[in-house]
Amino acid sequence: MEYEEDPFWESTHSEPNKQQQGKSSNTALAGVVFGILAAMFGLRLMFPDSNAGSGPSPLASAAPTTLPSGGDDRHLVRRSSVTNNWVSWLQSHLPGEQPLQMRSDFKGRVSEWTGTASGWSWNGGVVTPGKLRLWRPTLNSKDYELQFRASIERKGMGWAFRARDTDNYYATKILISGTGLSSSASILRYGVMNSWTFDRAELPLPMTLQRDRRYNITAMVRGSRFTTLIDGHVVDEWSDSKLKSGGVGFFADQGDASAIEWADFREQKGWLSRWLSASLFIPPNLMVP
């Protein structure tokens, strides 16, 4: 005699199997997520996202990142301890949003710069800044390296970083005093919030600068630590945590005159943030109830 399958047996035997399979799938998925988190934690320890802590500067110990300029070279020669090894390869191949890298020779794409054009002029392949203008594509950045080649023709030159707009930013200026060709120089840095200046400080530079000579200048922005290099030599470093993000720009105060040949911007994306934005995205349909 043939019997149809009893619904009672179907519900009491097949349902536990389904529940067991669901638990196994969830356990496997949890194991994968835990493994990814462990790997990210290891990378976080090996390569921290920022150097905002106290103690000796890891930026200064890694400097110089550039070689001193010589003559009329137009391209910055970069030197880094991680160039052409597995660390730089891994950083360039990590998943997630790629770091922003831009270069401007100021010969075109003026629309990339926002702010008043008052006092700005272009002549002979260089730009002379006036009132503060910001590099529009960089405004959402946090940690980065700004490099540019410029000369001081009169009094000083300035640049801004972590700039949210023209009323909120950090600023650094290099000033030359005296009347000779080679004169003493100082560095001035301060912050601006809602158009109010704070923590203004001026310090002598540990080197002599020449008017009308072009220098390779590097501004490193990592966490709350800011480092300035001239021709590969660290000349200043300071910290502040009021402004967390923002782009870069150039300006000249009244009486200043400088000539900028080109600017190079390289954003630094943290290992953890890139993994979180790519590796841990799990579509809802992959979750087993």
Side-chain angles (χ1 to χ4, degrees):
M1 181 179 295
E2 295 181 358
Y3 296 93
E4 294 182 357
E5 186 175 3
D6 193 335
F8 171 79
W9 292 106
E10 181 180 359
S11 61
T12 56
H13 291 279
S14 61
E15 193 63 31
N17 291 335
K18 291 181 180 180
Q19 293 178 359
Q20 185 64 33
Q21 291 175 358
K23 291 181 180 179
S24 299
S25 300
N26 282 334
T27 301
L29 183 58
V32 172
V33 173
F34 179 79
I36 294 175
L37 288 172
M40 287 192 302
F41 181 75
L43 287 174
R44 175 81 172 191
L45 294 178
M46 295 173 61
F47 311 103
D49 285 356
S50 66
N51 297 313
S54 59
S57 167
L59 296 179
S61 62
T65 59
T66 62
L67 295 176
S69 61
D72 296 326
D73 57 308
R74 296 183 59 85
H75 299 286
L76 185 64
V77 181
R78 304 175 62 84
R79 181 175 66 191
S80 173
S81 60
V82 298
T83 301
N84 296 326
N85 63 17
W86 72 273
V87 176
S88 59
W89 180 91
L90 182 59
Q91 186 176 24
S92 64
H93 288 79
L94 272 176
E97 185 179 2
Q98 295 295 316
L100 176 65
Q101 297 187 11
M102 298 194 67
R103 185 180 178 90
S104 176
D105 57 9
F106 302 103
K107 294 179 181 178
R109 296 184 293 179
V110 180
S111 61
E112 289 183 351
W113 297 83
T114 181
T116 176
S118 175
W120 285 67
S121 62
W122 286 259
N123 183 26
V126 298
V127 63
T128 298
K131 290 188 176 181
L132 177 61
R133 299 191 77 183
L134 303 177
W135 205 350
R136 191 191 305 273
T138 70
L139 293 181
N140 293 324
S141 302
K142 179 181 178 182
D143 294 339
Y144 45 78
E145 182 175 305
L146 170 67
Q147 298 178 329
F148 58 97
R149 183 170 172 82
S151 62
I152 300 174
E153 298 177 348
R154 186 174 62 252
K155 192 176 177 180
M157 67 165 298
W159 64 93
F161 57 95
R162 287 276 173 86
R164 296 202 302 259
D165 49 45
T166 54
D167 294 325
N168 297 273
Y169 57 91
Y170 292 117
T172 300
K173 290 188 65 177
I174 295 178
L175 304 170
I176 292 182
S177 59
T179 57
L181 180 62
S182 297
S183 303
S184 59
S186 62
I187 188 165
L188 172 67
R189 21 65 161 203
Y190 55 91
V192 176
M193 289 192 71
N194 300 321
S195 300
W196 290 91
T197 301
F198 64 90
D199 293 347
R200 183 183 179 95
E202 183 175 353
L203 302 170
L205 279 181
M207 61 189 303
T208 300
L209 300 183
Q210 298 180 7
R211 286 185 175 83
D212 298 325
R213 175 186 168 183
R214 293 181 184 173
Y215 294 91
N216 291 330
I217 299 174
T218 304
M220 289 180 166
V221 180
R222 302 284 194 280
S224 62
R225 195 189 303 271
F226 319 127
T227 306
T228 303
L229 301 89
I230 299 179
D231 279 349
H233 303 286
V234 176
V235 296
D236 183 60
E237 188 169 70
W238 62 295
S239 297
D240 191 85
S241 58
K242 295 181 181 65
L243 300 175
K244 306 296 184 181
S245 63
V248 299
F250 295 99
F251 67 93
D253 291 328
Q254 185 174 3
D256 294 348
S258 61
I260 306 175
E261 186 176 336
W262 52 259
D264 182 36
F265 180 89
R266 294 174 179 266
E267 186 181 22
Q268 304 294 320
K269 287 284 188 180
W271 299 85
L272 183 60
S273 61
R274 291 183 65 180
W275 274 106
L276 285 175
S277 64
S279 299
L280 288 186
F281 175 72
I282 303 174
N285 60 354
L286 293 183
M287 297 299 293
V288 180

